[in-house]
Amino acid sequence: MNLSRRQMLKLTAGAAAAIAAGARLPAVAAAAKKIPIGLGLWSVRQQCEKDLPGVLKAIGEMGYDGVEFAHSYYGHEAPAIRKLLDDNGLACCGMHMGLPMLDGEAFDATVKIHKTLGTPYLIIASLPRRSTESVQALVETGKKFNELSKKLADHGMKIGYHCHGGDFEPVEGKIPWVVFGENTDPEVILQLDIGNAIGGGGDAIAMLKHFPGRSISVHLKEHGGPAGAVIGEGDVNWKEVFQICESTGGTKWYVVEDETREGPESIEAVRRCLQSLRKMGK
């Protein structure tokens, strides 16, 4: 379409008026929606056991926005952890745990800890085999998550489930991840682990599309590529993953996970992961 000089001046004047009125232009709005990047501490668990303060300092200096704890507080009480997070400019973007931490009396203790940490998402990392060995068991498991979802909503938190490869192996002809997702409320987070899904024979792209608005927190893990490949160096179509997450997925946090290294190598690997994501514009 060709614009006349008068039309161009009119558009320019309109944009100027919008700015003067405090409106944001589309590019500014898009920048405001940039999804923060957290690190799953499972990636550097051995180093956390040795020196949690040092690890959090290093993660903050790398440029990560937050961390997701996994199964452990590494010997520190919640107030001390919160101070470490604040001192290093990090948010607690989630916690991986087992269902027992939300059962009975443990529920109140877990909620108290994560209110102190400011954790929005409590993610069940895996389920006992009996909870997933049949379609009916998956439906019942979904009911349990729905109940906990309602309880956590009163505290401003959400429950979620993190996938593993086995969640894409058919049970009675159906994909467990799909059965679980279709039998849980929209408020239950489906934390797709990209690498785990592909490694288990699943179609990560299709799963992101199948559950719009449910990918509030997504694990970024590479799959394939040369030995030692980090995010962006393997076979994952990251461009399409990000496009879905940032349009229909409802994603609020990207969480990096690279769990194959040990010791200092794990720290260097997560640094490379973040550098690669920055090169991709994240």
Side-chain angles (χ1 to χ4, degrees):
M1 178 177 68
N2 293 320
L3 295 176
S4 69
R5 182 173 181 275
R6 178 175 293 181
Q7 289 172 318
M8 183 63 74
L9 288 171
K10 185 176 180 180
L11 287 173
T12 304
I19 293 171
R24 295 185 177 185
L25 293 176
V28 178
K33 294 179 180 177
K34 190 168 184 179
I35 295 172
I37 300 174
L39 174 67
L41 291 182
W42 187 252
S43 307
V44 291
R45 56 195 177 279
Q46 292 179 332
Q47 298 303 99
C48 287
E49 291 285 358
K50 295 177 181 177
D51 181 15
L52 180 63
V55 171
L56 294 180
K57 184 175 186 294
I59 292 170
E61 290 175 346
M62 288 178 200
Y64 278 96
D65 300 299
V67 293
E68 179 186 72
F69 281 80
H71 306 290
S72 176
Y73 304 109
Y74 305 105
H76 295 260
E77 298 295 325
I81 293 175
R82 180 57 186 264
K83 186 176 188 307
L84 288 172
L85 293 173
D86 291 344
D87 288 348
N88 291 289
L90 297 168
C92 182
C93 61
M95 173 72 182
H96 269 208
M97 61 180 65
L99 269 176
M101 289 188 70
L102 293 174
D103 274 341
E105 295 180 0
F107 180 91
D108 291 337
T110 297
V111 166
K112 182 178 179 181
I113 289 170
H114 289 282
K115 279 187 176 180
T116 299
L117 298 183
T119 314
Y121 314 131
L122 305 183
I123 309 294
I124 304 306
S126 61
L127 295 170
R129 183 64 183 172
R130 64 180 181 277
S131 299
T132 60
E133 63 187 2
S134 70
V135 169
Q136 186 55 40
L138 285 162
V139 171
E140 294 301 317
T141 300
K143 290 179 181 178
K144 174 69 171 178
F145 273 73
N146 291 340
E147 292 169 1
L148 288 170
S149 176
K150 291 178 175 63
K151 287 181 67 177
L152 286 170
D154 293 337
H155 300 281
M157 300 176 187
K158 289 180 178 290
I159 190 173
Y161 177 53
H162 171 267
C163 75
H164 289 276
D167 291 310
F168 302 92
E169 297 173 4
V171 170
E172 298 176 12
K174 297 186 177 182
I175 303 301
W177 183 254
V178 174
V179 175
F180 177 83
E182 292 179 347
N183 286 276
T184 45
D185 294 336
E187 292 74 25
V188 175
I189 297 169
L190 298 177
Q191 191 187 60
L192 194 72
D193 182 306
I194 304 301
N196 283 358
I198 298 172
D203 185 333
I205 300 297
M207 292 299 96
L208 288 172
K209 291 179 178 178
H210 191 69
F211 294 106
R214 302 286 298 274
S215 302
I216 302 298
S217 174
V218 175
H219 263 211
L220 308 183
K221 182 187 295 176
E222 190 55 84
H223 179 78
V230 297
I231 292 170
E233 298 176 353
D235 300 329
V236 175
N237 184 346
W238 289 111
K239 182 177 180 180
E240 190 166 8
V241 168
F242 295 140
Q243 190 278 325
I244 299 168
C245 288
E246 293 165 20
S247 56
T248 60
T251 305
K252 304 297 183 186
W253 276 94
Y254 289 135
V255 181
V256 167
E257 186 170 65
D258 185 303
E259 57 187 340
T260 62
R261 337 282 169 146
E262 297 183 354
E265 287 186 7
S266 64
I267 297 290
E268 182 56 28
V270 299
R271 186 193 311 277
R272 289 171 56 205
C273 284
L274 185 60
Q275 289 172 343
S276 181
L277 287 168
R278 296 302 188 211
K279 290 178 182 177
M280 288 187 270
K282 301 300 137 188

